[in-house]
Amino acid sequence: MSAPTIDAAAVWPSGRVQLGRAKAAKVQGAADAIASLRAGAVCVYVAREDVEQVRAVVRKEDAERVRNGAVD
């Protein structure tokens, strides 16, 4: 029996988003997803209603990182 999936979105540290479905247990709230990305997560899954909140934070932080010359 497979785990139930829900509508969700994958969000990367760059702010890239891909809508799709994810296992419900993998979907994080906005605050947890932001914390995970700050801690180095490659990608997080969030509910679709949280996408813009997470995306706004990571895009702002990515722009600040680039502006400060911390490009990898």
Side-chain angles (χ1 to χ4, degrees):
M1 184 161 124
S2 63
T5 61
I6 60 172
D7 289 339
V11 182
W12 284 264
S14 66
R16 179 177 177 266
V17 172
Q18 183 174 344
L19 299 179
R21 296 185 62 80
K23 292 180 182 179
K26 298 263 185 195
V27 177
Q28 298 178 302
D32 289 338
I34 291 166
S36 292
L37 289 168
R38 284 178 176 158
V42 174
C43 178
V44 295
Y45 298 97
V46 297
R48 290 186 181 184
E49 59 268 15
D50 290 336
V51 168
E52 288 310 315
Q53 181 181 354
V54 175
R55 188 180 198 185
V57 170
V58 297
R59 278 191 163 175
K60 179 179 180 243
E61 290 176 355
D62 191 49
E64 288 173 357
R65 189 175 60 82
V66 170
R67 186 174 39 252
N68 292 333
V71 178
D72 296 333

